[in-house]
Amino acid sequence: MAGSEGLSVLGAPAILWKLHIVRQLRQRDRTQKALFQELVPAYNHLLEKAELLATFSEKLQLEPSEATPAPHKGSWEEESRPDSAGVSSPATLKEKWQEEEEGLRLVCGEMAYQVVEKSAALSTQQLQLEERQDRLAALEARVVQLQEARAQQARQVEEQRVKNVAQRAAYEDLRVRTGDQEAALRRLQEEASYVLEGLVQLKARAATERNLRLERRERANQARVSQELKKAAKRTVSISEVPDSLGKGIREGTETLALAGEPDSLESEACEKWKRPFRSASATSLTLSRCVDVVKGLLDFKKRRGHSIGGVPEQRYQSIPVCVAARLPVQVQDVLDAHLSEVNAVCFGPNSSLLATGGADRLIHLWNVVGGRLEANQTLEGAGGSITSVDMDPSGSQVLAATYNQAAQLWKVGEAHSKETLSGHKDKVTAAKFKLTRHQAVTGSRDRTVKEWDLGRAYCSRTINVLSYCNDVVCGDHIIISGHNDQKIRFWDSRGPCCTQVIPVQSRVTSLSLSHDQLHLLSCSRDDTLKVIDLRVSNIRQVFRADGFKCGSDWTKAVFSPDRRYAVAGSWDGALYIWDVDTGKLESTLRGPHWIVRRLLR
């Protein structure tokens, strides 16, 4: 059926052309017939008269030759005299014939002239008629095309109307379901808030009860030890008669003092006095009183905040492993599909046995590095957006990540869900780094601010307003260094409100890396260069370039090796470029799976 319709559509112009020719022929016949319908009878009448005159002229030419000539004078008289029979003379007839012939010639000339004019007018009208017929045929063809287009548009309108009806029904269904889901979400949020409040209350109650139990237990231990010491002070005893509980308490106390950093002389003195045999009651009483004081001091030292008992207090500054020498890698040791989307950030732990990776899938994966292989350890969930930066504290127990949802989030290693959310920025957070203590952190954002955070209270302790986007930050002992979009590296003193120094570079800063000795800073910028800045003189010491190296984005990272001997950066083509910091020479170019993928995509 579709084929016949196609043939009919294709054959329509040919049929119209034939009909046009037939109509033209018929119209020309009618026009010519109408024009010559009056001329043909007149022309026939003229032909008949011409034949009659020709006959008369022949007869008149023959009659004078056959008749007898008459005298000239009498002939004129005869001619002038009418015939007795009433018939006109030949001279008269000849004059009449000449007059009629002259009149007929005039009439024929006029009619011929009219015929010529009529023919010219006919040809002009015929040309106009042909033009109008051509226009009519073109208009008819255009009408046919427009009718077909109209029919097609009508079909499309009908189909679109059906689709609109279906989409409207689907939209209404989705709206109803969305309303139900929003109501369910509100209920779940309310339930979650109630559950969270209950959980917080339960935790607070449990902590309070635990503190009370520990306090009661500690008071009971203190009372028991005091009673035993008083009993022991009333009698003279040898070293073998010292109560086990007292000896255990003294040993625990001396161990605690050693861990807390007290001089070893106190422990040695106490041990020597208990090892010596007692020779008199006065000596024994003196020794026991000294022991009582020591034990009381130990018990008082073991008290901590919130009446809880613990070991040594937390160190504010953790020890950082020192790398003696770094070895250049030569090949890929392990390849894993870590995330569902792009991997935006990686970070090793302090001892390099734990690796954290963050990606656009809003997940952070922790990996154990065992024998050059990666083994899945844990997945940290709950990020509100794509991960842009990952950092681990000096103890390796916490993970800090910057996200696209205008916040940074904190996880504790071993717990899958986020511990704290540091919110306060107005744009995506591009960098989040721990300071040299795990209780403080610094974040940088595209809202042109750098913030310092107290992680114990999840509180922003300081906000630094900058004139440009912040792409990366690093932290020293009392200094914060930030790299910005306005081609500048800024230095901030943690103890002061103002910027202490500004170092300009040639292009936008994409990343910063601080050496372990805090004497050198490595920056990467969009002019396809890496720069080593000596912080002792605040001057650019080295500039690294290489053929093929290109900084492809505003978040391209460059880092020092642990021993600060090498500088490593990733290029847009998927390769890693490694420079020697001392000589400035390109040591190696590692082309792994990323380089192969980039080559295939190009």
Side-chain angles (χ1 to χ4, degrees):
M1 188 67 181
S4 63
E5 290 179 358
L7 290 174
S8 64
V9 173
L10 290 174
I15 295 172
L16 292 173
W17 177 69
K18 291 179 181 180
L19 292 174
H20 174 63
I21 291 174
V22 171
R23 283 195 299 268
Q24 282 185 341
L25 292 173
R26 289 178 180 175
Q27 183 67 21
R28 188 182 66 179
D29 291 341
R30 287 195 298 267
T31 304
Q32 292 179 356
K33 186 176 179 181
L35 291 174
F36 291 95
Q37 197 167 10
E38 297 179 357
L39 295 176
V40 170
Y43 185 70
N44 292 332
H45 183 62
L46 287 174
L47 290 178
E48 290 176 358
K49 286 187 176 183
E51 290 178 357
L52 181 60
L53 290 173
T55 305
F56 286 155
S57 62
E58 288 177 0
K59 289 180 179 181
L60 291 175
Q61 289 176 1
L62 290 175
E63 288 179 356
S65 60
E66 292 178 357
T68 303
H72 184 68
K73 184 178 179 179
S75 61
W76 286 99
E77 294 176 356
E78 291 178 358
E79 288 177 2
S80 60
R81 189 174 55 246
D83 194 6
S84 59
V87 179
S88 300
S89 63
T92 305
L93 292 174
K94 187 177 180 180
E95 291 178 0
K96 291 181 178 181
W97 174 80
Q98 289 178 354
E99 292 177 359
E100 290 180 2
E101 185 178 5
E102 187 66 26
L104 289 174
R105 285 177 182 175
L106 293 175
V107 172
C108 288
E110 293 178 359
M111 295 183 70
Y113 180 73
Q114 291 180 0
V115 167
V116 172
E117 290 182 351
K118 296 290 186 183
S119 298
L122 177 62
S123 60
T124 304
Q125 293 181 357
Q126 190 172 359
L127 291 174
Q128 294 178 357
L129 178 62
E130 290 177 356
E131 292 177 357
R132 292 179 180 179
Q133 287 176 349
D134 294 338
R135 289 177 57 191
L136 180 62
L139 291 174
E140 288 179 352
R142 180 63 177 167
V143 167
V144 172
Q145 293 178 358
L146 292 176
Q147 287 178 350
E148 293 176 355
R150 180 177 177 277
Q152 185 177 0
Q153 293 290 336
R155 289 194 297 269
Q156 292 179 358
V157 168
E158 185 64 24
E159 293 175 358
Q160 191 66 32
R161 188 181 64 80
V162 174
K163 290 181 181 179
N164 290 339
V165 171
Q167 290 179 357
R168 183 176 298 173
Y171 169 74
E172 292 294 333
D173 188 14
L174 287 174
R175 190 174 61 81
V176 172
R177 285 191 294 174
T178 303
D180 297 339
Q181 291 178 357
E182 288 178 352
L185 178 62
R186 286 193 294 271
R187 290 195 299 271
L188 290 176
Q189 288 177 347
E190 293 176 357
E191 293 177 0
S193 63
Y194 294 152
V195 170
L196 183 60
E197 291 177 0
L199 182 61
V200 171
Q201 293 176 0
L202 288 175
K203 285 186 176 181
R205 193 181 300 115
T208 304
E209 293 177 355
R210 183 170 178 272
N211 291 333
L212 291 175
R213 288 197 301 270
L214 291 175
E215 186 178 359
R216 287 195 296 268
R217 187 183 303 171
E218 183 62 24
R219 289 177 180 175
N221 290 335
Q222 290 180 4
R224 180 170 54 81
V225 172
S226 298
Q227 291 178 0
E228 290 179 355
L229 289 174
K230 289 179 181 179
K231 291 180 181 179
K234 293 180 181 179
R235 58 189 178 91
T236 303
V237 295
S238 64
I239 189 65
S240 60
E241 294 179 357
V242 177
D244 293 338
S245 60
L246 181 61
K248 181 178 179 181
I250 294 175
R251 286 193 296 272
E252 289 179 353
T254 56
E255 291 175 0
T256 305
L257 281 175
L259 289 175
E262 291 289 334
D264 295 337
S265 59
L266 180 61
E267 180 183 0
S268 60
E269 181 182 356
C271 293
E272 289 295 332
K273 287 181 179 181
W274 279 107
K275 288 178 182 178
R276 291 198 302 267
F278 296 99
R279 295 186 178 182
S280 65
S282 61
T284 304
S285 301
L286 180 62
T287 304
L288 289 176
S289 61
R290 174 68 183 272
C291 291
V292 170
D293 295 336
V294 169
V295 172
K296 287 183 178 180
L298 292 175
L299 294 177
D300 293 337
F301 178 77
K302 290 172 66 177
K303 292 184 180 181
R304 296 185 63 192
R305 294 181 302 180
H307 306 288
S308 60
I309 307 301
V312 297
E314 294 182 348
Q315 296 180 1
R316 181 174 179 80
Y317 292 92
Q318 303 291 338
S319 61
I320 300 176
V322 178
C323 177
V324 178
R327 180 170 55 89
L328 285 177
V330 295
Q331 63 181 0
V332 178
Q333 293 186 346
D334 197 7
V335 178
L336 291 176
D337 291 332
H339 293 264
L340 300 176
S341 186
E342 295 87 356
V343 180
N344 296 332
V346 294
C347 178
F348 276 101
N351 55 4
S352 299
S353 63
L354 187 65
L355 176 67
T357 62
D361 57 357
R362 303 184 180 186
L363 296 177
I364 296 177
H365 292 292
L366 301 181
W367 310 85
N368 292 326
V369 183
V370 181
R373 301 293 179 184
L374 295 178
E375 297 179 356
N377 182 325
Q378 187 183 1
T379 299
L380 306 181
E381 302 175 351
S386 299
I387 307 297
T388 59
S389 173
V390 174
D391 191 29
M392 300 185 72
D393 70 337
S395 66
S397 61
Q398 295 184 113
V399 177
L400 180 66
T403 63
Y404 266 46
N405 69 332
Q406 306 177 9
Q409 292 185 248
L410 182 68
W411 285 266
K412 185 176 182 181
V413 176
E415 297 179 1
H417 295 285
S418 176
K419 176 182 177 182
E420 296 288 351
T421 299
L422 310 179
S423 59
H425 287 287
K426 298 179 181 180
D427 204 340
K428 65 180 180 181
V429 182
T430 55
K433 299 292 178 63
F434 282 100
K435 299 185 75 173
L436 295 185
T437 170
R438 63 175 185 167
H439 301 293
Q440 293 180 337
V442 177
T443 59
S445 171
R446 291 186 67 87
D447 63 356
R448 298 180 176 87
T449 62
V450 176
K451 292 181 180 289
E452 293 187 62
W453 301 87
D454 183 351
L455 299 181
R457 297 180 295 169
Y459 170 72
C460 177
S461 59
R462 181 187 180 191
T463 299
I464 302 172
N465 294 311
V466 197
L467 299 177
S468 179
Y469 298 157
C470 178
N471 290 328
D472 201 5
V473 295
V474 291
C475 304
D477 288 334
H478 300 290
I479 193 171
I480 299 171
I481 308 173
S482 58
H484 298 273
N485 233 31
D486 61 352
Q487 308 178 9
K488 293 180 182 178
I489 299 174
R490 292 178 169 86
F491 295 77
W492 312 87
D493 193 337
S494 298
R495 298 162 295 183
C498 299
C499 178
T500 59
Q501 188 178 3
V502 176
I503 297 180
V505 293
Q506 299 300 321
S507 186
R508 297 194 300 270
V509 180
T510 64
S511 73
L512 299 173
S513 177
L514 188 65
S515 61
H516 286 302
D517 56 8
Q518 300 184 20
L519 299 179
H520 295 85
L521 177 69
L522 177 67
S523 70
C524 180
S525 55
R526 289 304 299 272
D527 59 353
D528 304 331
T529 60
L530 274 67
K531 300 176 181 65
V532 177
I533 300 173
D534 192 339
L535 299 181
R536 293 169 292 187
V537 294
S538 300
N539 192 14
I540 297 177
R541 173 184 170 187
Q542 286 276 9
V543 178
F544 301 139
R545 295 183 178 88
D547 294 337
F549 173 74
K550 184 176 181 181
C551 181
S553 65
D554 288 346
W555 52 88
T556 299
K557 302 299 181 184
V559 294
F560 276 123
S561 62
D563 61 349
R564 197 196 57 78
R565 182 179 176 184
Y566 301 103
V568 186
S571 176
W572 72 281
D573 58 358
L576 288 176
Y577 289 77
I578 305 176
W579 289 270
D580 191 313
V581 174
D582 296 328
T583 64
K585 178 183 176 183
L586 180 66
E587 290 289 336
S588 177
T589 301
L590 303 180
R591 305 184 187 278
H594 301 296
W595 180 79
I596 296 173
V597 171
R598 293 289 296 181
R599 294 280 294 181
L600 293 175
L601 291 176
R602 286 188 294 173

